[in-house]
Amino acid sequence: MSGMSEWGVALIAAGSAIAGSVVTGWYSRSAGIRQAEAARHAGDRQADALVESVRLTTRAEARQRSLALRRQTYAESLGATEAGILTERTGRGSRGTSDDEALLQRALSGVDLEGPPEVAAAAHHLVDCLRRHEPPDDLQRAKRAFVSAAQECLNGPTAT
């Protein structure tokens, strides 16, 4: 009988070891699955953050390019207007006047396209003053109004 009980003890011990391994394996598997799931979620959050960062960078670069184009357009318009004011002041004859007028109109069209409406309105007022041969003080006031509107557009908190 003692042989049988040794076998019984051995079987019970083996069964306990197997059961312990299964339980430990099950908990280890569950912990591994939870760790893998947490790592996947962390990776997803990291990827989402990277995508958002790229999106914000791209948006900021596009805004900067747009502002640079507006700045260039406004500067060209101001330059064309200055040429017209100089012509007005010096009383230069018809030589170059049609070229100045074409340059002025092209620059004004650029401001119309770039906007916003407040800057375009100020540019139109300045050009109208120039075309009506307004006195120098009125031209300077119209020019300052255009420059102010352009600066507000380019430097304002909601510059678009």
Side-chain angles (χ1 to χ4, degrees):
M1 217 95 173
S2 81
M4 198 58 158
S5 72
E6 287 178 14
W7 273 102
V9 169
L11 284 174
I12 290 172
S16 293
I18 291 171
S21 293
V22 166
V23 168
T24 302
W26 178 259
Y27 282 120
S28 295
R29 179 183 170 275
S30 295
I33 288 172
R34 283 192 303 274
Q35 285 178 345
E37 199 57 30
R40 185 178 66 81
H41 287 304
D44 288 349
R45 285 190 304 273
Q46 202 172 21
D48 290 345
L50 179 61
V51 167
E52 184 62 18
S53 175
V54 168
R55 186 177 301 131
L56 290 173
T57 299
T58 303
R59 192 176 302 143
E61 288 171 353
R63 182 175 177 273
Q64 288 304 313
R65 283 190 303 273
S66 175
L67 286 175
L69 177 60
R70 277 188 175 174
R71 186 172 285 112
Q72 178 183 350
T73 301
Y74 298 163
E76 287 172 4
S77 181
L78 188 58
T81 304
E82 286 289 348
I85 290 172
L86 182 62
T87 299
E88 195 64 32
R89 281 186 188 153
T90 60
R92 190 168 68 182
S94 61
R95 181 176 130 91
T97 304
S98 64
D99 288 343
D100 288 348
E101 181 60 30
L103 179 65
L104 188 61
Q105 188 57 48
R106 193 167 39 253
L108 185 59
S109 296
V111 174
D112 279 339
L113 287 174
E114 282 300 313
E118 298 80 19
V119 177
H124 276 275
H125 177 68
L126 175 56
V127 170
D128 288 344
C129 287
L130 186 60
R131 287 177 176 159
R132 287 191 311 260
H133 307 285
E134 297 283 336
D137 288 345
D138 291 344
L139 283 171
Q140 285 304 314
R141 271 192 292 280
K143 181 178 132 186
R144 279 194 305 273
F146 169 70
V147 168
S148 177
Q151 286 174 336
E152 186 175 325
C153 173
L154 295 170
N155 301 324
T158 58
T160 54

